Structure formats: structure tokens, C-alpha cells
């Protein structure tokens, strides 16, 4: 019952924030921000590249409207999650400088911390399912509310470029450093027999394998980078550039066909089962998993963590590809019932992180909507 109350409390906050934001918009803005409810279609499209994510971008809102938009975003995140997302958005300024202010994605500013889009699907009035999506470069948040409860919090993507930046003083800025360090501590704790089972290949893929597919399927291979963008590029030269980026990254990494095969997604998890870890290693795995589940508010994170409580953690598998030393290209995944976590840090000389948390059965609320429809027909 506590989990249900928590999901309802979170849904109430989301509903209030969404209605307040939508009420502040002009008719033209609302036409881009609010779409009719749909179980599939555009609602299932999500991105993490600097492409059009769909909806109303922050740059097309007045400051007060931006504040209301971010208040809605905050309802879907823990305090640490909100700080992390805000930092990732701010990295667009850092990346702009790092690239000499010269990146051209066919728009006036190549790297823009206000190019993050928000869209609501359906009416947040408690009478039917509704969803909301927030995303831009390296951020994609997707939530579904059904029967006044938050029923889906995934896919949830966070990335960072650069992954590590200097700050004044001895400590660098590493928004996703915990997801890297805890996993490395775990893989380096494995004995020889454990490591043989956990290591998929010595060459890490150049991105998360699942990409931005709406659904994860048995046998999925790494998606080419151009496929992770919306429909098409505004100019052929941009498509050619992204294709060249993907080829160059794979050539630099030395990725072979057998490496692609080694990291192919399968319904039966690859890697080392948590049941075969020591109690100390299981605690390390749980701490790593909490970094992902902890992105959302505590009451929702507790509901997700309950799926892996006690002996159920034993079904989660840990797999690694690439090197295990700092600054070596690396990739890992956590996979089990209702769980797929992927982490990749290979690009920009191992200073560009992609991470995603997914529920292959419940992404976008596939399972919750099915039960909702069954109950409605009864």
C-alpha cells in the first residue's frame, strides 16, 4: 500500500505541475506542447542526440513558463536526479567552448542549453491515461500516469559530454561519475572465474546497444548513429557527417563483427548472475543499481527497488566490455527481469558517457496500459 500511495502522491504532483504549465501557454505554444492521448505513435519516440525531440522547447517559452516547465520536470526526479539533469543541460555551454563554438547542426546555435523540449500527451485531469516527455541532448525522461498513479518512469536516459570537466580546486565535475566508479569497483573485485563470465569482449561498443528503440527485442545489435536521430537531417551534409562520425568511432575503437555479436542484446541475460557474487559484491551491485533507480523521487525509487529486493537480486546479471582501468573505453549492462541498464564511455577519448535505464516489459507503460484496457473492457 505504501508503494501505491507513493505513486499516487507523485502523480498528484505531476498533474498539478502539468496543468499549471499548460495554462500559462498561448494557443500557439499549447499546440506544440499538448498532444492528444495516444498509446503508441509519437509518444514512443525518444532521442538523446542533439535532434528535435518534439514538443515546445525552453527557448520558445517566457522565463516564467520555463520555470513552470522545470517544476514539472522536477516532479519526475529526485533532488539528486534534478541536479544531475540540470548539470547535463548546462554542459551544452561547456561543450560549445570545447568544440570552438563551431558545431553546426543546421540551426543558429549548435549547442544550446535551451533546446530541451517538453510535451504532454492527453489531459492531466485524472479521467484517463496521460503522459509527459522531456528531452534534449543527453536527456530523455518519459512518464505515464494511469488511474492517478505513476505507472512508468522509463526509458530514462542521461548522458554527459564532457563526462569530466575541470573545476576550480582539486575535484572535477563528473555528473555521472558514480555510475562509472561503482561499476569499475565491482568488475575489479571479481575473481578470475567470475571475470571470465562477466567480460563479453575486450572492445567496448561505441554506444549503448539498445539505442533509442521504442522496444527492446531479443537479438538487437548496436544501432548506427544516424538512426538515433529524428527522421532525417535538414541537410544531406549533416547526415553524411554523422555517418562519418560513426564509422570513425568504430575504426578508432577497432570494433570487429565478433565484438558486435558479443554485446548483442538477448532475452536471456549475458554476463555474471548476482546469485554468483559474494555478499559484499552483491552490496556493490545493489549500490550501482540504486544510482539508476535513484533518479526518480524516493517513493517511486522504492517501488522499483522492491522488484530486486532480497533473493530477487540474484536474477540480475552484470556484464562488461572493454578495459577496466580509468580512461580506457568501457561499457557495461545490468539485465534481469524488468531491467536493462546500459552504460557506455568510449567517445571523445573516453570522455563522453551515455547511460540508460529501461524496463523492457514496462517502458512507456506497455504493461500498465494493457491491464488498464482489460479492466475497462470488463
Amino acid at each position: 500500500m505504501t508503494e501505491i500511495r507513493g505513486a499516487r502522491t507523485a502523480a498528484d504532483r505531476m498533474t498539478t505541475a502539468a496543468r499549471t504549465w499548460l495554462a500559462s501557454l498561448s494557443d500557439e505554444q499549447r499546440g506544440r506542447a499538448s498532444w492528444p492521448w495516444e498509446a503508441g505513435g509519437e509518444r514512443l519516440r525518444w532521442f538523446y542526440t542533439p535532434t528535435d525531440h518534439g514538443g515546445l522547447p525552453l527557448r520558445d517559452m517566457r522565463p516564467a513558463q520555463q520555470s513552470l516547465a522545470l517544476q514539472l520536470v522536477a516532479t519526475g526526479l529526485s533532488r539528486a536526479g534534478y541536479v544531475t539533469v540540470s548539470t547535463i543541460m548546462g554542459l551544452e555551454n561547456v561543450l560549445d567552448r570545447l568544440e570552438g563554438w563551431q558545431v553546426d547542426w543546421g540551426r543558429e546555435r549548435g549547442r544550446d542549453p535551451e533546446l530541451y523540449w517538453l510535451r504532454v500527451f492527453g489531459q492531466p485531469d485524472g479521467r484517463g491515461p496521460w503522459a509527459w516527455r522531456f528531452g534534449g541532448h543527453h536527456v530523455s525522461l518519459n512518464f505515464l500516469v494511469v488511474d492517478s498513479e505513476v505507472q512508468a518512469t522509463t526509458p530514462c536516459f542521461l548522458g554527459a559530454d564532457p563526462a569530466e570537466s575541470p573545476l576550480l580546486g582539486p575535484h572535477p565535475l563528473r555528473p555521472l561519475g558514480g555510475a562509472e566508479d561503482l561499476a569499475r569497483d565491482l568488475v575489479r573485485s571479481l575473481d578470475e572465474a567470475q571475470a571470465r563470465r562477466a567480460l563479453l569482449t575486450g572492445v567496448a561498443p561505441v554506444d549503448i546497444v539498445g539505442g533509442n528503440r521504442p522496444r527492446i527485442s531479443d537479438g538487437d545489435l548496436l544501432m548506427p548513429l544516424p538512426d538515433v536521430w529524428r527522421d532525417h537531417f535538414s541537410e544531406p551534409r549533416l547526415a553524411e557527417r554523422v555517418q562519418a562520425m560513426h564509422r570513425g568511432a568504430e575504426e578508432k575503437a577497432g570494433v570487429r563483427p565478433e565484438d558486435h555479436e558479443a554485446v548483442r542484446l538477448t532475452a536471456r541475460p549475458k554476463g555474471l548472475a548476482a546469485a554468483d557474487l559474494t555478499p559484499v559484491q552483491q552490496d556493490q551491485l545493489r549500490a550501482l543499481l540504486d544510482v539508476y533507480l535513484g533518479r526518480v523521487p524516493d517513493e517511486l525509487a522504492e517501488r522499483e527497488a522492491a522488484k530486486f529486493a532480497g533473493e530477487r537480486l540474484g536474477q540480475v546479471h552484470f556484464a562488461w566490455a572493454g578495459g577496466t582501468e580509468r580512461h580506457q573505453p568501457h561499457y557495461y549492462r545490468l539485465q534481469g527481469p524488468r531491467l536493462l541498464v546500459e552504460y557506455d564511455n568510449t567517445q571523445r577519448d573516453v570522455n563522453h558517457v551515455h547511460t540508460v535505464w529501461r524496463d523492457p516489459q514496462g517502458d512507456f507503460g506497455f504493461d500498465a496500459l494493457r491491464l488498464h484496457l482489460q479492466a475497462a473492457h470488463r
Side-chain angles (χ1 to χ4, degrees), residues 84 163 173-186 284-285 287-292 295 320 326 330 332 343 353 355:
T84 303
L173 176 65
R174 301 176 65 214
L176 299 172
E180 176 178 340
D181 295 345
L182 289 170
R184 181 176 291 106
D185 289 345
L186 176 56
Q284 290 176 290
L285 177 62
L288 175 59
L289 182 57
D290 286 346
V291 170
Y292 290 89
R295 295 176 175 186
W320 184 278
R326 278 269 284 157
H330 58 287
Y332 69 79
Y343 169 105
V353 168
T355 72

Side-chain angles (χ1 to χ4, degrees), residues 134-188:
F134 179 76
H137 190 210
H138 284 155
V139 175
S140 185
L141 309 176
N142 299 272
F143 294 90
L144 172 72
V145 178
V146 181
D147 298 327
S148 300
E149 294 181 25
V150 179
Q151 296 286 7
T153 58
T154 59
C156 180
F157 179 100
L158 298 180
D161 184 10
E164 181 174 329
S165 307
L167 292 173
L168 297 175
H171 302 295
L173 176 65
R174 301 176 65 214
L176 299 172
E180 176 178 340
D181 295 345
L182 289 170
R184 181 176 291 106
D185 289 345
L186 176 56
V187 75
R188 290 172 66 87

Side-chain angles (χ1 to χ4, degrees), residues 74-343:
T75 66
L77 297 167
S78 63
R79 181 180 179 186
Y82 183 79
V83 170
T84 303
V85 167
S86 300
T87 303
I88 290 167
M89 293 166 63
L91 282 179
E92 290 296 279
N93 288 318
V94 178
L95 186 56
D96 212 4
R97 182 182 187 277
L98 185 65
E99 295 173 326
W101 323 96
Q102 298 299 313
V103 167
D104 176 10
W105 291 121
R107 58 199 188 207
E108 188 170 348
R109 185 178 180 189
R111 304 296 185 185
D112 191 339
E114 290 194 330
L115 268 184
Y116 286 81
W117 288 260
L118 180 59
R119 174 169 282 163
V120 171
F121 297 88
Q123 295 299 318
D125 56 15
R127 290 195 292 268
W130 71 279
W132 62 276
R133 177 182 71 196
F134 179 76
H137 190 210
H138 284 155
V139 175
S140 185
L141 309 176
N142 299 272
F143 294 90
L144 172 72
V145 178
V146 181
D147 298 327
S148 300
E149 294 181 25
V150 179
Q151 296 286 7
T153 58
T154 59
C156 180
F157 179 100
L158 298 180
D161 184 10
E164 181 174 329
S165 307
L167 292 173
L168 297 175
H171 302 295
L173 176 65
R174 301 176 65 214
L176 299 172
E180 176 178 340
D181 295 345
L182 289 170
R184 181 176 291 106
D185 289 345
L186 176 56
V187 75
R188 290 172 66 87
S189 78
L190 303 180
D191 62 31
E192 186 175 344
Q194 291 173 320
R196 279 198 302 269
R197 296 166 64 185
L199 184 64
L200 303 181
T201 171
V203 180
V206 299
D207 200 356
I208 56 172
V209 180
N212 66 331
R213 294 178 172 95
R215 291 179 182 266
I216 296 295
S217 300
D218 186 33
D220 284 340
L221 285 168
L222 179 74
M223 294 177 65
L225 183 56
D227 292 352
V228 189
W229 295 63
R230 179 180 286 274
D231 295 336
H232 55 78
F233 294 87
S234 57
E235 301 177 34
R237 65 181 179 86
L238 297 179
E240 293 170 0
R241 183 170 141 217
V242 171
Q243 290 169 355
M245 288 170 57
H246 184 86
R247 288 195 303 270
E250 293 219 316
E251 290 171 1
K252 183 175 182 179
V255 178
R256 305 159 298 178
E258 52 264 42
D259 298 315
H260 280 296
E261 187 61 37
V263 298
R264 179 194 292 271
L265 291 174
T266 52
R268 183 176 181 179
K270 296 179 178 179
L272 177 66
D276 296 324
L277 297 173
T278 67
V280 171
Q281 291 170 331
Q282 289 181 354
D283 288 343
Q284 290 176 290
L285 177 62
R286 196 177 294 281
L288 175 59
L289 182 57
D290 286 346
V291 170
Y292 290 89
L293 306 185
R295 295 176 175 186
V296 296
D298 290 347
E299 60 267 37
L300 299 181
E302 290 171 4
R303 182 185 67 182
E304 295 299 322
K307 298 175 183 177
F308 312 104
E311 294 183 357
R312 281 176 285 186
L313 182 70
Q315 299 179 72
V316 176
H317 287 63
F318 174 63
W320 184 278
T324 60
E325 300 291 338
R326 278 269 284 157
H327 307 301
Q328 289 182 335
H330 58 287
Y331 163 94
Y332 69 79
R333 78 172 57 137
L334 307 178
Q335 186 176 359
R338 308 301 300 263
L339 177 71
L340 176 64
V341 162
E342 289 191 272
Y343 169 105

Side-chain angles (χ1 to χ4, degrees), residues 42 47-55 117 133 135-137 139 230:
E42 173 66 19
F47 305 91
Y48 52 87
T49 48
T51 188
D52 181 354
H53 286 230
W117 288 260
R133 177 182 71 196
H137 190 210
V139 175
R230 179 180 286 274

